[in-house]
Amino acid sequence: MRMGLGQLESGTDIAANLAAMDRFAAAAAAEGARLVAFPEYASYEKKVVDASFAAVAEPLDGPVCIALAGIAQRHGVALVAGVVEASGEPDRAYNTLAAFGPDGGLLAAYRKIHLFDAQGFSESRFIKPAPSAEPVVFDFGGLTFGLMTCYDLRFPELARGLSDAGAEVLLACSSWVPGEHKVRQWLSLTAARAIENGMYVAGVCQAPPISVGHSVLVDPMGVPHAELGTDSAVATVEVSADTVAAVRRQFPMFRQRRLHPHGGSLPGQL
């Protein structure tokens, strides 16, 4: 299956962000993509998360998600994008990935678990963490996709939980904060999550200056494909369930592991 990576340069103009996603989805669909993934905070983004995020937050049946569902329908693709979801608290929102099918129906919604309280940032001041740490996956085009957001990439147990839940392609939708060594860390972590779980990792990132760019698709052997630079752009690349299965046969880590993801040994293995 061919999928698209849409590297945006989102800002505070929601209409402009939606228009960019519409253009990129059209371009990816023209190249045969059946699913297009966009970054964290695709619909609304600033250099620092502040009170305005809660102010613009909407429910998943609000105007932003209706527009995203329409883009998916219009171009006949599945679409995944970061939105600011109303949480029920007036001062905090959810940082949510919403996935829509080609019919416009909601396939899945993932609320970010690990908030970016690092490098002097305090995302949790204005963003509410997911109430559940259960992995979120959805099936589309003969593949199972797992969802995670940005800082989640630094927590390998979440990626392992997604692979245990059946994920063959991990969508790591991100707005990776710039800084010393950050591009190297971004590329290293996407490759590590792919290798240790025998799955594709699609790291879809916001472009500079807010983020680092370098969106990339890493295959289950850790080989990068379709790496973008720092410009806002879209690229398409093939992903295959057969490739995942072949790599997992070659490296049967899930059958061989002796430690439970949450601690202790697996039954009958020690």
Side-chain angles (χ1 to χ4, degrees):
M1 188 189 83
R2 182 162 287 270
M3 65 171 290
L5 312 177
Q7 181 165 291
L8 300 174
E9 190 178 344
S10 298
T12 58
D13 186 333
I14 294 174
N17 298 334
L18 290 169
M21 285 187 269
D22 195 10
R23 292 193 302 272
F24 281 9
E31 293 185 11
R34 297 183 59 198
L35 179 147
V36 186
F38 292 105
E40 174 186 26
Y41 291 132
S43 66
Y44 183 85
E45 175 66 309
K46 297 174 76 173
K47 185 173 179 61
V48 177
V49 176
D50 60 16
S52 68
F53 283 72
V56 304
E58 297 178 1
L60 292 178
D61 59 356
V64 166
C65 283
I66 289 173
L68 292 173
I71 293 171
Q73 281 186 294
R74 185 157 51 253
H75 302 297
V77 297
L79 182 149
V80 180
V83 300
V84 187
E85 181 193 359
S87 73
E89 292 186 14
D91 300 324
R92 291 202 300 175
Y94 287 122
N95 180 348
T96 300
L97 298 180
F100 299 93
D103 63 354
L106 184 67
L107 295 173
Y110 167 69
R111 294 163 176 167
K112 188 177 182 181
I113 294 172
H114 302 101
L115 301 182
F116 191 64
D117 291 351
Q119 284 190 283
F121 290 81
S122 298
E123 189 179 22
S124 63
R125 182 178 175 187
F126 302 102
I127 301 296
K128 185 176 178 178
S132 169
E134 290 299 311
V136 176
V137 300
F138 67 91
D139 295 327
F140 179 76
L143 287 156
T144 300
F145 293 83
L147 297 175
M148 70 161 51
T149 305
C150 201
Y151 197 45
D152 286 333
L153 196 61
R154 293 182 181 271
F155 298 84
E157 59 272 22
L158 179 56
R160 180 52 54 92
L162 288 163
S163 59
D164 281 342
E168 297 158 301
V169 182
L170 173 59
L171 302 179
C173 301
S174 305
S175 185
W176 200 257
V177 173
E180 188 177 12
H181 308 306
K182 292 297 293 291
V183 172
R184 180 180 295 276
Q185 291 175 4
W186 164 253
L187 296 174
S188 297
L189 288 167
T190 51
R193 299 295 88 86
I195 294 166
E196 68 198 9
N197 292 290
M199 63 183 177
Y200 292 95
V201 174
V204 191
C205 206
Q206 292 278 2
I210 286 176
S211 183
V212 301
H214 291 277
S215 298
V216 65
L217 189 284
V218 184
D219 73 19
M221 292 292 282
V223 178
H225 299 267
E227 182 181 338
L228 295 171
T230 56
D231 293 334
S232 178
V234 63
T236 62
V237 65
E238 291 286 336
V239 291
S240 165
D242 289 341
T243 297
V244 173
V247 171
R248 289 178 175 177
R249 284 194 300 270
Q250 188 175 358
F251 297 99
M253 297 174 291
F254 297 99
R255 177 165 51 81
Q256 294 172 329
R257 65 180 174 175
R258 300 180 68 189
L259 296 177
H260 192 280
H262 302 295
S265 61
L266 292 169
Q269 295 214 350
L270 286 181

